[in-house]
Structure formats: structure tokens, C-alpha cells
Amino acid sequence: MTVLEIRNLRTQFHTDEGPVLAVDGVSLELSAGETLGLVGESGSGKSVTALSIMGLVARPAGEIVDGEVWVDGISVLGKGNDAMRKIRGKTVAMIFQDPMTSLNPLFTVGWQITEALRLHLGFTKAAAKKRAIDLLDRVGIPAPETRVASYPHQFSGGMRQRVMIAMALSCEPKVLLADEPTTALDVTVQAQLLQLLKDIADVSQTATLLITHDL
Ligand code: ADP
Ligand code: MG
């Protein structure tokens, strides 16, 4: 079953030097359980493609000028912020390149992993904590019962990226956009994380768009 379909996506930025067409006619299809690699050199529009799917292209500088994006049967382009907030996390989630800018240093990882669960699905604090421990366990964090109360700076880079994956999985999204999820990490840790993403795609049938500049 196709859970992500992009047709002729075109996204543009208005800059001082005039318009920049960052994404120029991208089309792709992704089925449940499938992993698709999106590869291109730096600046080729990979991240903007993912941000366009998420409805996170910042207006007014950025603008989707053409195309269609369907996520789990929902046409997302042109949806308002409130509607996108319900789709983000629950239907399509994104793992960003740099966990240090995406994780808030002031909150425990458990709190951050379950923010979406408390906000969208009305989990109580106790239920959210239990679910955070399950998620940390699932992404291979040792001693998740104690680590759930740790802060991001208490984790290594690889472990922080595992936390980001746990956060992205918290609402069991149909589609996972992994934007250079291993770029900042050493080769052994990269291999472990890619295996983890593969296991998740296999077990949960999560459709995964794996973005990288590294062939
Ligand atoms: P990639 O992820 O493939 O390295 P990006 O998708 O981040 O590339 O960027 C694609 C192009 O869009 C680049 O030329 C970049 O400079 C431009 N771009 C991205 N974000 C913005 C922005 N907020 N304002 C202006 N130009 C941008
Ligand atoms: Mg990028």
C-alpha cells in the first residue's frame, strides 16, 4: 500500500538574489514497510523535500509552488497549521540531522519523547513515562528506566540520535523521514543506527525515506 506519494513537487525560496528553486519537480512513491534512499550532493534539495512533506517550509520566504503530496491518503499541501500539527508525528514524523539542535537541553529525554503523546493522545504523565521507557528500550538505550530521566547532554551523539528516533516513533507514524540521521556519527554507530531503522521498517511496517549525501 502506498503511504507516501509525491508528484512534481516544486519548492522555491525568495532571496535577495531572486527566487531559488530548491526542489524542482520531485516525484516518488513509498509503500508501507519499504525504505527508499534519497541521495544527492549537499544543497540539492533533499531537506527541503522532507520539510515540504512535513509542512515546515517557512513562509513567506519559502513557498511550495507546484505539485501534490499524499501522506496515508491525505493531501497535505495547502493544509493549515492546525491540520498539519495533527498529521505531524502521528502520520508522518521526521528525524533531523543534528540532535543537539532538535533536543531541548532543559528537559529530560523522557519528557521530550512523549510530548506528542501527552499533547495529541492525552496520555497521563505516568502512562507517558512508561511508554518513554518502552521506546528507549526499543531503540537500544541501556537501562531505560533510569535513562528516561537523563538530559540530552548526558548522552553520547549516537545515543542522542537514538533518542531522536524514539521521539519520531512515539506516535507510531506511517511514514518516517530520516534526514541524514547518521551523518555526524562514527562509522560503527552509523551501521548500528541504519540497522535499527531497517528493523523498525520491518517490524512496524514503517515506510522510511532515508536521506543522505553519502552514497
Ligand atoms: P540538501 O538537504 O540537499 O543539502 P537543502 O534542501 O537544505 O539541501 O537546500 C536546497 C537549496 O535550497 C539550497 O540551495 C539552499 O541554499 C536552499 N535553501 C534551503 N533553505 C533555504 C531558506 N530557508 N532560504 C533560502 N534558501 C534556502
Ligand atoms: Mg539537508
Side-chain angles (χ1 to χ4, degrees), residues 13-15 20 22 40-49 61 179-180:
F13 291 97
H14 302 281
T15 71
V20 173
E41 64 190 36
S42 186
S44 59
K46 305 182 297 297
S47 293
V48 175
T49 299
D179 188 4
E180 314 237 15

Side-chain angles (χ1 to χ4, degrees), residues 2 12-13 48 58 61 83 132 134-135 139 170 181 183 190 212:
T2 302
Q12 158 177 302
F13 291 97
V48 175
D134 288 347
L135 284 160
V139 299
S170 68
T183 296
Q190 285 192 14
T212 180

Side-chain angles (χ1 to χ4, degrees), residues 188-200:
T188 336
V189 180
Q190 285 192 14
Q192 290 165 0
L193 286 173
L194 291 175
Q195 185 62 48
L196 172 63
L197 289 171
K198 187 169 181 295
D199 293 344
I200 290 162

Side-chain angles (χ1 to χ4, degrees), residues 28-152:
L28 60 84
E29 262 180 54
L30 185 57
S31 298
E34 192 179 33
T35 298
L36 180 70
L38 181 59
V39 186
E41 64 190 36
S42 186
S44 59
K46 305 182 297 297
S47 293
V48 175
T49 299
L51 294 171
S52 301
I53 298 167
M54 296 289 284
L56 291 175
V57 172
R59 286 174 147 277
E63 189 188 2
I64 294 169
V65 289
D66 199 8
E68 285 176 70
V69 175
W70 298 80
V71 184
D72 196 28
I74 305 165
S75 172
V76 295
L77 298 190
K79 278 233 185 297
N81 233 330
D82 287 347
M84 277 318 288
R85 221 171 277 138
K86 295 202 177 95
I87 292 166
R88 251 181 253 139
K90 273 198 68 184
T91 308
V92 54
M94 184 163 170
I95 305 167
F96 295 91
Q97 184 166 345
D98 179 6
M100 259 341 236
T101 56
S102 313
L103 289 172
N104 188 326
L106 301 178
F107 292 95
T108 65
V109 299
W111 185 257
Q112 296 183 64
I113 288 171
T114 55
E115 188 173 14
L117 291 173
R118 295 187 318 270
L119 280 178
H120 296 323
L121 303 180
F123 273 53
T124 62
K125 256 170 100 167
K129 185 179 171 193
K130 186 167 178 299
R131 174 96 176 133
I133 292 168
D134 288 347
L135 284 160
L136 289 175
D137 190 38
R138 178 145 185 238
V139 299
I141 303 271
E145 300 84 358
T146 42
R147 293 307 252 162
V148 72
S150 300
Y151 291 86

Side-chain angles (χ1 to χ4, degrees), residues 146-164:
T146 42
R147 293 307 252 162
V148 72
S150 300
Y151 291 86
H153 73 268
Q154 297 172 303
F155 284 74
S156 68
M159 288 293 163
R160 279 199 288 266
Q161 201 53 303
R162 286 177 191 266
V163 170
M164 294 294 296

